[in-house]
PDB file of all heavy atoms in Angstrom:
ATOM      1  N   ASP A  59      -6.269 -35.569   3.382  1.00  0.00           N
ATOM      2  CA  ASP A  59      -5.836 -34.891   4.600  1.00  0.00           C
ATOM      3  C   ASP A  59      -6.343 -33.448   4.588  1.00  0.00           C
ATOM      4  O   ASP A  59      -6.533 -32.858   3.517  1.00  0.00           O
ATOM      5  CB  ASP A  59      -4.308 -34.877   4.715  1.00  0.00           C
ATOM      6  CG  ASP A  59      -3.731 -36.256   4.923  1.00  0.00           C
ATOM      7  OD1 ASP A  59      -4.406 -37.087   5.547  1.00  0.00           O
ATOM      8  OD2 ASP A  59      -2.600 -36.497   4.446  1.00  0.00           O
ATOM      9  N   PHE A  60      -6.519 -32.882   5.761  1.00  0.00           N
ATOM     10  CA  PHE A  60      -6.904 -31.485   5.850  1.00  0.00           C
ATOM     11  C   PHE A  60      -5.676 -30.602   5.635  1.00  0.00           C
ATOM     12  O   PHE A  60      -4.618 -30.847   6.225  1.00  0.00           O
ATOM     13  CB  PHE A  60      -7.548 -31.170   7.205  1.00  0.00           C
ATOM     14  CG  PHE A  60      -8.942 -31.701   7.332  1.00  0.00           C
ATOM     15  CD1 PHE A  60      -9.183 -32.913   7.975  1.00  0.00           C
ATOM     16  CD2 PHE A  60     -10.016 -31.010   6.793  1.00  0.00           C
ATOM     17  CE1 PHE A  60     -10.466 -33.412   8.086  1.00  0.00           C
ATOM     18  CE2 PHE A  60     -11.304 -31.499   6.904  1.00  0.00           C
ATOM     19  CZ  PHE A  60     -11.533 -32.703   7.553  1.00  0.00           C
ATOM     20  N   ARG A  61      -5.833 -29.614   4.799  1.00  0.00           N
ATOM     21  CA  ARG A  61      -4.737 -28.679   4.592  1.00  0.00           C
ATOM     22  C   ARG A  61      -4.566 -27.813   5.837  1.00  0.00           C
ATOM     23  O   ARG A  61      -5.540 -27.361   6.419  1.00  0.00           O
ATOM     24  CB  ARG A  61      -5.037 -27.787   3.385  1.00  0.00           C
ATOM     25  CG  ARG A  61      -5.107 -28.547   2.065  1.00  0.00           C
ATOM     26  CD  ARG A  61      -5.547 -27.650   0.933  1.00  0.00           C
ATOM     27  NE  ARG A  61      -5.604 -28.382  -0.340  1.00  0.00           N
ATOM     28  CZ  ARG A  61      -6.099 -27.884  -1.472  1.00  0.00           C
ATOM     29  NH1 ARG A  61      -6.584 -26.640  -1.480  1.00  0.00           N
ATOM     30  NH2 ARG A  61      -6.108 -28.618  -2.567  1.00  0.00           N
ATOM     31  N   PRO A  62      -3.340 -27.552   6.251  1.00  0.00           N
ATOM     32  CA  PRO A  62      -3.134 -26.734   7.457  1.00  0.00           C
ATOM     33  C   PRO A  62      -3.606 -25.301   7.238  1.00  0.00           C
ATOM     34  O   PRO A  62      -3.583 -24.778   6.123  1.00  0.00           O
ATOM     35  CB  PRO A  62      -1.621 -26.794   7.667  1.00  0.00           C
ATOM     36  CG  PRO A  62      -1.051 -27.134   6.329  1.00  0.00           C
ATOM     37  CD  PRO A  62      -2.063 -28.010   5.657  1.00  0.00           C
ATOM     38  N   ALA A  63      -4.053 -24.688   8.306  1.00  0.00           N
ATOM     39  CA  ALA A  63      -4.474 -23.285   8.233  1.00  0.00           C
ATOM     40  C   ALA A  63      -3.285 -22.410   7.827  1.00  0.00           C
ATOM     41  O   ALA A  63      -2.213 -22.501   8.417  1.00  0.00           O
ATOM     42  CB  ALA A  63      -5.039 -22.831   9.572  1.00  0.00           C
ATOM     43  N   HIS A  64      -3.475 -21.595   6.829  1.00  0.00           N
ATOM     44  CA  HIS A  64      -2.415 -20.731   6.314  1.00  0.00           C
ATOM     45  C   HIS A  64      -3.092 -19.505   5.727  1.00  0.00           C
ATOM     46  O   HIS A  64      -3.686 -19.561   4.656  1.00  0.00           O
ATOM     47  CB  HIS A  64      -1.604 -21.478   5.250  1.00  0.00           C
ATOM     48  CG  HIS A  64      -0.376 -20.751   4.795  1.00  0.00           C
ATOM     49  ND1 HIS A  64       0.337 -21.101   3.673  1.00  0.00           N
ATOM     50  CD2 HIS A  64       0.286 -19.673   5.328  1.00  0.00           C
ATOM     51  CE1 HIS A  64       1.372 -20.294   3.519  1.00  0.00           C
ATOM     52  NE2 HIS A  64       1.359 -19.420   4.513  1.00  0.00           N
ATOM     53  N   PHE A  65      -3.038 -18.386   6.437  1.00  0.00           N
ATOM     54  CA  PHE A  65      -3.826 -17.225   6.041  1.00  0.00           C
ATOM     55  C   PHE A  65      -3.103 -15.927   6.381  1.00  0.00           C
ATOM     56  O   PHE A  65      -2.245 -15.882   7.256  1.00  0.00           O
ATOM     57  CB  PHE A  65      -5.192 -17.240   6.744  1.00  0.00           C
ATOM     58  CG  PHE A  65      -5.108 -17.393   8.245  1.00  0.00           C
ATOM     59  CD1 PHE A  65      -4.920 -16.294   9.063  1.00  0.00           C
ATOM     60  CD2 PHE A  65      -5.206 -18.646   8.835  1.00  0.00           C
ATOM     61  CE1 PHE A  65      -4.830 -16.427  10.440  1.00  0.00           C
ATOM     62  CE2 PHE A  65      -5.118 -18.796  10.208  1.00  0.00           C
ATOM     63  CZ  PHE A  65      -4.934 -17.688  11.016  1.00  0.00           C
ATOM     64  N   ILE A  66      -3.468 -14.874   5.668  1.00  0.00           N
ATOM     65  CA  ILE A  66      -2.982 -13.534   5.991  1.00  0.00           C
ATOM     66  C   ILE A  66      -3.590 -13.101   7.320  1.00  0.00           C
ATOM     67  O   ILE A  66      -4.808 -13.060   7.473  1.00  0.00           O
ATOM     68  CB  ILE A  66      -3.354 -12.526   4.889  1.00  0.00           C
ATOM     69  CG1 ILE A  66      -2.647 -12.860   3.581  1.00  0.00           C
ATOM     70  CG2 ILE A  66      -3.024 -11.101   5.322  1.00  0.00           C
ATOM     71  CD1 ILE A  66      -1.151 -12.662   3.606  1.00  0.00           C
ATOM     72  N   SER A  67      -2.741 -12.804   8.280  1.00  0.00           N
ATOM     73  CA  SER A  67      -3.233 -12.400   9.600  1.00  0.00           C
ATOM     74  C   SER A  67      -3.213 -10.885   9.794  1.00  0.00           C
ATOM     75  O   SER A  67      -3.910 -10.368  10.674  1.00  0.00           O
ATOM     76  CB  SER A  67      -2.401 -13.068  10.702  1.00  0.00           C
ATOM     77  OG  SER A  67      -1.024 -12.769  10.543  1.00  0.00           O
ATOM     78  N   GLU A  68      -2.421 -10.181   8.976  1.00  0.00           N
ATOM     79  CA  GLU A  68      -2.380  -8.721   9.108  1.00  0.00           C
ATOM     80  C   GLU A  68      -1.971  -8.089   7.783  1.00  0.00           C
ATOM     81  O   GLU A  68      -1.080  -8.589   7.106  1.00  0.00           O
ATOM     82  CB  GLU A  68      -1.392  -8.327  10.205  1.00  0.00           C
ATOM     83  CG  GLU A  68      -1.352  -6.828  10.494  1.00  0.00           C
ATOM     84  CD  GLU A  68      -0.466  -6.505  11.683  1.00  0.00           C
ATOM     85  OE1 GLU A  68      -0.863  -6.848  12.816  1.00  0.00           O
ATOM     86  OE2 GLU A  68       0.623  -5.948  11.483  1.00  0.00           O
ATOM     87  N   MET A  69      -2.649  -7.039   7.415  1.00  0.00           N
ATOM     88  CA  MET A  69      -2.284  -6.255   6.246  1.00  0.00           C
ATOM     89  C   MET A  69      -2.290  -4.784   6.640  1.00  0.00           C
ATOM     90  O   MET A  69      -3.303  -4.253   7.095  1.00  0.00           O
ATOM     91  CB  MET A  69      -3.254  -6.483   5.081  1.00  0.00           C
ATOM     92  CG  MET A  69      -2.892  -5.682   3.830  1.00  0.00           C
ATOM     93  SD  MET A  69      -4.115  -5.830   2.496  1.00  0.00           S
ATOM     94  CE  MET A  69      -3.932  -7.555   2.065  1.00  0.00           C
ATOM     95  N   GLU A  70      -1.148  -4.141   6.476  1.00  0.00           N
ATOM     96  CA  GLU A  70      -1.016  -2.725   6.833  1.00  0.00           C
ATOM     97  C   GLU A  70      -0.746  -1.913   5.580  1.00  0.00           C
ATOM     98  O   GLU A  70       0.194  -2.189   4.836  1.00  0.00           O
ATOM     99  CB  GLU A  70       0.111  -2.536   7.836  1.00  0.00           C
ATOM    100  CG  GLU A  70       0.255  -1.105   8.326  1.00  0.00           C
ATOM    101  CD  GLU A  70       1.299  -0.967   9.427  1.00  0.00           C
ATOM    102  OE1 GLU A  70       1.988  -1.959   9.705  1.00  0.00           O
ATOM    103  OE2 GLU A  70       1.411   0.137   9.992  1.00  0.00           O
ATOM    104  N   ILE A  71      -1.597  -0.922   5.349  1.00  0.00           N
ATOM    105  CA  ILE A  71      -1.471  -0.056   4.180  1.00  0.00           C
ATOM    106  C   ILE A  71      -1.131   1.350   4.657  1.00  0.00           C
ATOM    107  O   ILE A  71      -1.771   1.884   5.565  1.00  0.00           O
ATOM    108  CB  ILE A  71      -2.776  -0.022   3.362  1.00  0.00           C
ATOM    109  CG1 ILE A  71      -3.175  -1.440   2.941  1.00  0.00           C
ATOM    110  CG2 ILE A  71      -2.623   0.874   2.128  1.00  0.00           C
ATOM    111  CD1 ILE A  71      -4.514  -1.501   2.222  1.00  0.00           C
ATOM    112  N   LYS A  72      -0.104   1.945   4.034  1.00  0.00           N
ATOM    113  CA  LYS A  72       0.253   3.329   4.324  1.00  0.00           C
ATOM    114  C   LYS A  72       0.075   4.180   3.078  1.00  0.00           C
ATOM    115  O   LYS A  72       0.280   3.710   1.955  1.00  0.00           O
ATOM    116  CB  LYS A  72       1.703   3.422   4.810  1.00  0.00           C
ATOM    117  CG  LYS A  72       1.918   2.865   6.200  1.00  0.00           C
ATOM    118  CD  LYS A  72       3.336   3.131   6.677  1.00  0.00           C
ATOM    119  CE  LYS A  72       3.527   2.659   8.100  1.00  0.00           C
ATOM    120  NZ  LYS A  72       4.904   2.945   8.585  1.00  0.00           N
ATOM    121  N   ARG A  73      -0.256   5.428   3.295  1.00  0.00           N
ATOM    122  CA  ARG A  73      -0.356   6.420   2.225  1.00  0.00           C
ATOM    123  C   ARG A  73       0.766   7.416   2.466  1.00  0.00           C
ATOM    124  O   ARG A  73       0.683   8.230   3.381  1.00  0.00           O
ATOM    125  CB  ARG A  73      -1.720   7.091   2.273  1.00  0.00           C
ATOM    126  CG  ARG A  73      -1.988   8.074   1.165  1.00  0.00           C
ATOM    127  CD  ARG A  73      -3.398   8.609   1.328  1.00  0.00           C
ATOM    128  NE  ARG A  73      -3.781   9.470   0.245  1.00  0.00           N
ATOM    129  CZ  ARG A  73      -4.971  10.043   0.139  1.00  0.00           C
ATOM    130  NH1 ARG A  73      -5.911   9.815   1.070  1.00  0.00           N
ATOM    131  NH2 ARG A  73      -5.261  10.833  -0.874  1.00  0.00           N
ATOM    132  N   GLY A  74       1.826   7.311   1.685  1.00  0.00           N
ATOM    133  CA  GLY A  74       3.031   8.048   2.022  1.00  0.00           C
ATOM    134  C   GLY A  74       3.572   7.494   3.323  1.00  0.00           C
ATOM    135  O   GLY A  74       3.787   6.297   3.460  1.00  0.00           O
ATOM    136  N   GLU A  75       3.762   8.340   4.321  1.00  0.00           N
ATOM    137  CA  GLU A  75       4.225   7.904   5.634  1.00  0.00           C
ATOM    138  C   GLU A  75       3.079   7.786   6.627  1.00  0.00           C
ATOM    139  O   GLU A  75       3.293   7.431   7.788  1.00  0.00           O
ATOM    140  CB  GLU A  75       5.271   8.890   6.179  1.00  0.00           C
ATOM    141  CG  GLU A  75       6.541   8.967   5.345  1.00  0.00           C
ATOM    142  CD  GLU A  75       7.243   7.633   5.268  1.00  0.00           C
ATOM    143  OE1 GLU A  75       7.298   6.932   6.306  1.00  0.00           O
ATOM    144  OE2 GLU A  75       7.743   7.272   4.182  1.00  0.00           O
ATOM    145  N   SER A  76       1.858   8.060   6.170  1.00  0.00           N
ATOM    146  CA  SER A  76       0.710   8.093   7.077  1.00  0.00           C
ATOM    147  C   SER A  76      -0.043   6.761   7.070  1.00  0.00           C
ATOM    148  O   SER A  76      -0.356   6.227   6.002  1.00  0.00           O
ATOM    149  CB  SER A  76      -0.242   9.221   6.665  1.00  0.00           C
ATOM    150  OG  SER A  76      -1.348   9.292   7.536  1.00  0.00           O
ATOM    151  N   PRO A  77      -0.355   6.204   8.241  1.00  0.00           N
ATOM    152  CA  PRO A  77      -1.163   4.978   8.283  1.00  0.00           C
ATOM    153  C   PRO A  77      -2.507   5.182   7.588  1.00  0.00           C
ATOM    154  O   PRO A  77      -3.179   6.193   7.790  1.00  0.00           O
ATOM    155  CB  PRO A  77      -1.351   4.735   9.781  1.00  0.00           C
ATOM    156  CG  PRO A  77      -0.208   5.435  10.436  1.00  0.00           C
ATOM    157  CD  PRO A  77       0.040   6.654   9.586  1.00  0.00           C
ATOM    158  N   PHE A  78      -2.884   4.213   6.767  1.00  0.00           N
ATOM    159  CA  PHE A  78      -4.130   4.303   5.996  1.00  0.00           C
ATOM    160  C   PHE A  78      -5.146   3.300   6.537  1.00  0.00           C
ATOM    161  O   PHE A  78      -6.142   3.688   7.126  1.00  0.00           O
ATOM    162  CB  PHE A  78      -3.825   4.033   4.517  1.00  0.00           C
ATOM    163  CG  PHE A  78      -4.980   4.298   3.593  1.00  0.00           C
ATOM    164  CD1 PHE A  78      -5.298   5.595   3.218  1.00  0.00           C
ATOM    165  CD2 PHE A  78      -5.738   3.253   3.098  1.00  0.00           C
ATOM    166  CE1 PHE A  78      -6.369   5.847   2.363  1.00  0.00           C
ATOM    167  CE2 PHE A  78      -6.807   3.487   2.239  1.00  0.00           C
ATOM    168  CZ  PHE A  78      -7.126   4.786   1.871  1.00  0.00           C
ATOM    169  N   LEU A  79      -4.892   2.027   6.349  1.00  0.00           N
ATOM    170  CA  LEU A  79      -5.721   0.967   6.922  1.00  0.00           C
ATOM    171  C   LEU A  79      -4.801  -0.098   7.509  1.00  0.00           C
ATOM    172  O   LEU A  79      -3.755  -0.404   6.960  1.00  0.00           O
ATOM    173  CB  LEU A  79      -6.601   0.299   5.865  1.00  0.00           C
ATOM    174  CG  LEU A  79      -7.700   1.096   5.174  1.00  0.00           C
ATOM    175  CD1 LEU A  79      -8.374   0.227   4.127  1.00  0.00           C
ATOM    176  CD2 LEU A  79      -8.719   1.593   6.181  1.00  0.00           C
ATOM    177  N   LYS A  80      -5.233  -0.694   8.613  1.00  0.00           N
ATOM    178  CA  LYS A  80      -4.546  -1.856   9.150  1.00  0.00           C
ATOM    179  C   LYS A  80      -5.604  -2.904   9.467  1.00  0.00           C
ATOM    180  O   LYS A  80      -6.451  -2.689  10.328  1.00  0.00           O
ATOM    181  CB  LYS A  80      -3.743  -1.500  10.405  1.00  0.00           C
ATOM    182  CG  LYS A  80      -2.935  -2.673  10.952  1.00  0.00           C
ATOM    183  CD  LYS A  80      -2.091  -2.232  12.129  1.00  0.00           C
ATOM    184  CE  LYS A  80      -1.239  -3.384  12.647  1.00  0.00           C
ATOM    185  NZ  LYS A  80      -0.402  -2.960  13.801  1.00  0.00           N
ATOM    186  N   MET A  81      -5.546  -4.023   8.751  1.00  0.00           N
ATOM    187  CA  MET A  81      -6.557  -5.055   8.901  1.00  0.00           C
ATOM    188  C   MET A  81      -5.954  -6.307   9.521  1.00  0.00           C
ATOM    189  O   MET A  81      -5.040  -6.904   8.968  1.00  0.00           O
ATOM    190  CB  MET A  81      -7.189  -5.407   7.554  1.00  0.00           C
ATOM    191  CG  MET A  81      -8.289  -6.470   7.654  1.00  0.00           C
ATOM    192  SD  MET A  81      -9.191  -6.746   6.112  1.00  0.00           S
ATOM    193  CE  MET A  81      -7.991  -7.750   5.212  1.00  0.00           C
ATOM    194  N   GLU A  82      -6.460  -6.691  10.691  1.00  0.00           N
ATOM    195  CA  GLU A  82      -6.154  -7.989  11.277  1.00  0.00           C
ATOM    196  C   GLU A  82      -7.265  -8.938  10.848  1.00  0.00           C
ATOM    197  O   GLU A  82      -8.451  -8.616  10.985  1.00  0.00           O
ATOM    198  CB  GLU A  82      -6.085  -7.898  12.801  1.00  0.00           C
ATOM    199  CG  GLU A  82      -4.937  -7.043  13.318  1.00  0.00           C
ATOM    200  CD  GLU A  82      -4.873  -7.048  14.834  1.00  0.00           C
ATOM    201  OE1 GLU A  82      -5.194  -8.085  15.438  1.00  0.00           O
ATOM    202  OE2 GLU A  82      -4.520  -6.007  15.398  1.00  0.00           O
ATOM    203  N   SER A  83      -6.898 -10.082  10.307  1.00  0.00           N
ATOM    204  CA  SER A  83      -7.908 -10.967   9.746  1.00  0.00           C
ATOM    205  C   SER A  83      -7.565 -12.412  10.025  1.00  0.00           C
ATOM    206  O   SER A  83      -6.546 -12.725  10.645  1.00  0.00           O
ATOM    207  CB  SER A  83      -8.049 -10.720   8.240  1.00  0.00           C
ATOM    208  OG  SER A  83      -6.814 -10.910   7.574  1.00  0.00           O
ATOM    209  N   GLY A  84      -8.438 -13.320   9.560  1.00  0.00           N
ATOM    210  CA  GLY A  84      -8.243 -14.740   9.810  1.00  0.00           C
ATOM    211  C   GLY A  84      -8.838 -15.576   8.700  1.00  0.00           C
ATOM    212  O   GLY A  84      -8.863 -15.172   7.533  1.00  0.00           O
ATOM    213  N   ILE A  85      -9.380 -16.739   9.059  1.00  0.00           N
ATOM    214  CA  ILE A  85      -9.824 -17.700   8.055  1.00  0.00           C
ATOM    215  C   ILE A  85     -11.098 -17.291   7.338  1.00  0.00           C
ATOM    216  O   ILE A  85     -11.455 -17.891   6.329  1.00  0.00           O
ATOM    217  CB  ILE A  85     -10.013 -19.094   8.681  1.00  0.00           C
ATOM    218  CG1 ILE A  85     -11.155 -19.081   9.720  1.00  0.00           C
ATOM    219  CG2 ILE A  85      -8.719 -19.596   9.296  1.00  0.00           C
ATOM    220  CD1 ILE A  85     -11.532 -20.464  10.228  1.00  0.00           C
ATOM    221  N   SER A  86     -11.814 -16.290   7.833  1.00  0.00           N
ATOM    222  CA  SER A  86     -13.079 -15.903   7.211  1.00  0.00           C
ATOM    223  C   SER A  86     -12.914 -15.028   5.976  1.00  0.00           C
ATOM    224  O   SER A  86     -13.878 -14.819   5.237  1.00  0.00           O
ATOM    225  CB  SER A  86     -13.977 -15.179   8.230  1.00  0.00           C
ATOM    226  OG  SER A  86     -14.373 -16.059   9.269  1.00  0.00           O
ATOM    227  N   ILE A  87     -11.724 -14.489   5.750  1.00  0.00           N
ATOM    228  CA  ILE A  87     -11.483 -13.681   4.559  1.00  0.00           C
ATOM    229  C   ILE A  87     -11.145 -14.608   3.391  1.00  0.00           C
ATOM    230  O   ILE A  87     -10.401 -15.573   3.534  1.00  0.00           O
ATOM    231  CB  ILE A  87     -10.345 -12.678   4.792  1.00  0.00           C
ATOM    232  CG1 ILE A  87     -10.704 -11.732   5.953  1.00  0.00           C
ATOM    233  CG2 ILE A  87     -10.062 -11.870   3.525  1.00  0.00           C
ATOM    234  CD1 ILE A  87     -11.934 -10.870   5.714  1.00  0.00           C
ATOM    235  N   SER A  88     -11.686 -14.306   2.221  1.00  0.00           N
ATOM    236  CA  SER A  88     -11.543 -15.181   1.063  1.00  0.00           C
ATOM    237  C   SER A  88     -10.099 -15.260   0.564  1.00  0.00           C
ATOM    238  O   SER A  88      -9.244 -14.452   0.938  1.00  0.00           O
ATOM    239  CB  SER A  88     -12.440 -14.688  -0.077  1.00  0.00           C
ATOM    240  OG  SER A  88     -13.797 -14.740   0.287  1.00  0.00           O
ATOM    241  N   GLU A  89      -9.874 -16.227  -0.290  1.00  0.00           N
ATOM    242  CA  GLU A  89      -8.580 -16.422  -0.943  1.00  0.00           C
ATOM    243  C   GLU A  89      -8.094 -15.119  -1.576  1.00  0.00           C
ATOM    244  O   GLU A  89      -8.868 -14.340  -2.122  1.00  0.00           O
ATOM    245  CB  GLU A  89      -8.758 -17.489  -2.026  1.00  0.00           C
ATOM    246  CG  GLU A  89      -7.513 -17.871  -2.785  1.00  0.00           C
ATOM    247  CD  GLU A  89      -7.787 -18.969  -3.807  1.00  0.00           C
ATOM    248  OE1 GLU A  89      -8.980 -19.257  -4.055  1.00  0.00           O
ATOM    249  OE2 GLU A  89      -6.825 -19.529  -4.339  1.00  0.00           O
ATOM    250  N   ASN A  90      -6.797 -14.866  -1.465  1.00  0.00           N
ATOM    251  CA  ASN A  90      -6.115 -13.699  -2.050  1.00  0.00           C
ATOM    252  C   ASN A  90      -6.429 -12.377  -1.359  1.00  0.00           C
ATOM    253  O   ASN A  90      -6.025 -11.312  -1.841  1.00  0.00           O
ATOM    254  CB  ASN A  90      -6.391 -13.581  -3.551  1.00  0.00           C
ATOM    255  CG  ASN A  90      -5.830 -14.752  -4.332  1.00  0.00           C
ATOM    256  OD1 ASN A  90      -4.807 -15.324  -3.972  1.00  0.00           O
ATOM    257  ND2 ASN A  90      -6.512 -15.141  -5.397  1.00  0.00           N
ATOM    258  N   THR A  91      -7.123 -12.405  -0.239  1.00  0.00           N
ATOM    259  CA  THR A  91      -7.350 -11.228   0.603  1.00  0.00           C
ATOM    260  C   THR A  91      -7.735  -9.987  -0.212  1.00  0.00           C
ATOM    261  O   THR A  91      -7.038  -8.964  -0.187  1.00  0.00           O
ATOM    262  CB  THR A  91      -6.091 -10.917   1.444  1.00  0.00           C
ATOM    263  OG1 THR A  91      -5.529 -12.140   1.937  1.00  0.00           O
ATOM    264  CG2 THR A  91      -6.436 -10.031   2.636  1.00  0.00           C
TER     265      THR A  91
END
């Protein structure tokens, strides 16, 4: 059977209280992001 799609869709990184990076992603990013 095909495994269902299950992936990190958003990762938000802050430095202290300041936004650092915000990545919206999908199936094209490798395992473990």
Side-chain angles (χ1 to χ4, degrees):
D59 293 328
F60 286 97
R61 295 174 180 172
H64 188 194
F65 52 85
I66 295 292
S67 56
E68 184 174 290
M69 180 185 293
E70 184 174 7
I71 303 175
K72 289 186 176 181
R73 184 178 185 179
E75 296 300 319
S76 181
F78 189 78
L79 295 177
K80 184 176 182 180
M81 181 173 77
E82 294 183 34
S83 58
I85 65 172
S86 294
I87 300 298
S88 297
E89 182 178 11
N90 296 328
T91 319

